[in-house]
Amino acid sequence: MAPPAIRVENLVKRFGDLTAVGGISFQVDEGESFGFLGPNGAGKSTTIRMVTGVLRPDAGAARIAGYDVRTDTDAAKSEIGIVPEQFNAYPDLTAWKNVMLAGELYGIPRQTRKSRGTELLRSFGLFERRHTLATNFSKGMKQRLMLTMALLHDPAVLFLDEPITGLDVESQHLIRERIAELNREGRTVFLTTHNIAEADRLCDRVAIINRGEIAAIDTPDALKQTIERTRAVEVSFNEEVTLDTLAAFSTVDAVEKRGDTIRLMTPDPDTVIKAVVNFAQEENLTLRSLQTLGPSLEDAFTALTEARQ
Amino acid sequence: MRVRRVLAIAKKDIRIYYTKGPVLISGLLLPVFFFLAFTMGREMAGTQLVAGLIGMTLWFTATSISPVIAPWETRDGTLERLVSAPITVVEILLGDIVASATISVSITGVATAILALVLDVSIANPVLLGVGLILAAIGFSALGVLLAAVPTDQTSNVMMLATLVKFSIIFVSGIFVPVADLPSWGRVVAYGSPLTYLVQTTKYGLGTGDSAIIWLVGLLFFFIITFSLAVWVHRKTLPKRL
Ligand SMILES: Nc1ncnc2c1ncn2[C@@H]1O[C@H](COP(=O)(O)OP(=O)(O)OP(=O)(O)O)[C@@H](O)[C@H]1O
Ligand SMILES: [Mg+2]
């Protein structure tokens, strides 16, 4: 059996006192599209940079197609295409020269470089602009250029660090389509995002990462349900009410008292709000405040992390 | 070591960094002004003058951009791209040296031809002169690359260090005064400087002096030692740039 496209074991990275990645493990199969979903500072980029051989981990190991990134570096790196978070093509080279350089660094023969470069630039709508300096490109064009460069050596595994974030609508659409297409062609895709909808759209499986720890790995649908469950209605009345009464409302999963306000966890805030209003009328209570919360990724991360411990 | 990847790095360097103005300015104007300021009103033999100018031109051109490539790439994030590609530190640094040496030898070669014409100095042994220039160019470029190992993304930091080193070495290298005329302690210092070796081989190439081989060997050793040191230090400091 072929080794998994990506295999990460107990990877750790510390920056001074901060543990950016705290010993994570996961595996991505060949041809799979895998997402890393997490808030800012979760350790997504740090993980990618370790797995792709840019950063040296403090502990643990990463393998690409069976090659250890630290000991079989060249073999592992040759299998990888990377689109990092920050633009890192040469700003003072034209798009074409950047693409050719990318090919040379991976030892791609001249003819292949040229034909693949042309084909890829066309597919990303950059061919007409190939003689423009990269520095003069818009954000979306820069991102498309980096994808072109990442694909020139025909890598089996593609790493994309927040590939869609901050792009114009047209580029977003194009890049999303191409990612899906590359995955359909059999390439393994690993991408990071802090957008659940994005992960849902593009990934077969998603790992939720928070503070350097993986809280859960599941299908986007299952995770979405978990996240939906973090919806809540917050209410406060002019008098004390018994929590049990509120907990009995239909669709309420749990009730928490937080100072003067009461939080009712529910996947369906609409029903609960109506019930609360009815209840207030019947009991002749005054509603001081009433609001809906979530669904919140942050809460989902916390819930998942707590559930795991 | 894969020659193609080294050349890919060198080509990229030449395209990006050497098409910018500073090389020409610090490589050509500086040595000329510097030299004139010190030689004005002094009697100097033709070959000493020409050898000194050639030495300084190569010295300045080979050490002008080589120290700032790494900080530059750190700042632009392109270093991360190189590090994630299947290419080794040795290949990257060699590429930088090849680029720097190519440019500096070309500029110095043209300068030498012009000087020889204008000052009516004949070049007795052009092959040896050329070999000396090339060996010196890779050695001096390796020195520049070594200085670039300071883990910073500010070119000005490295420039300052480089300027300090560049100018100190000029003064101890038998450029303004033939080494033979220096006091004994001065000679000891001068013989430690690779620029002295270049001036000596150049003088021989121009038809004076009695031997060049020892100076050529000196230049070769300087390259080997400096390059090994550069690789060692870069391997240590590279993670701090990422
Ligand atoms: N080179 C570094 N030096 C010091 N701290 C770092 C470094 N790189 C990352 N960190 C810290 O490590 C933590 C994880 O950062 P990382 O960039 O991996 O997060 P991320 O999940 O990619 O976040 P974002 O969504 O903002 O890109 C953060 O707290 C960050 O400040
Ligand atoms: Mg990130």
Side-chain angles (χ1 to χ4, degrees), chain B residues 107-129:
Chain B
I107 293 179
T108 311
V110 172
T112 306
I114 293 173
L115 274 176
L117 277 179
V118 173
L119 298 177
D120 198 22
V121 174
S122 69
I123 300 175
N125 195 337
V127 174
L128 191 129
L129 187 84

Side-chain angles (χ1 to χ4, degrees), chain A residues 57-109:
Chain A
D58 293 319
R63 288 174 172 274
I64 304 287
Y67 301 113
D68 189 300
V69 175
R70 298 244 53 103
T71 56
D72 241 338
T73 312
D74 271 12
K77 285 179 176 173
S78 302
E79 301 283 338
I80 303 176
I82 311 168
V83 177
E85 197 169 20
Q86 307 277 330
F87 178 69
N88 77 347
Y90 285 91
D92 297 326
L93 289 182
T94 63
W96 180 256
K97 297 254 161 71
N98 262 303
V99 174
M100 291 303 109
L101 173 62
E104 285 171 294
L105 292 178
Y106 287 79
I108 306 301

Side-chain angles (χ1 to χ4, degrees), chain A residues 15-16 18-21 38-47 49 55 85 161-162 192-194 209, chain B residues 242:
Chain A
F15 295 110
L18 177 89
T19 302
V21 175
N40 286 339
K44 302 183 295 292
S45 302
T46 305
T47 305
R49 295 171 86 213
L55 286 185
E85 197 169 20
D161 199 349
E162 302 197 20
T192 71
T193 174
H194 38 229
I209 177 169
Chain B
L242 297 166

Side-chain angles (χ1 to χ4, degrees), chain B residues 82-107:
Chain B
L82 293 184
V83 172
S84 63
I87 185 163
T88 61
V89 171
V90 169
E91 287 163 344
I92 295 174
L93 297 186
L94 270 181
D96 292 346
I97 289 172
V98 169
S100 172
T102 306
I103 298 286
S104 55
V105 168
S106 311
I107 293 179

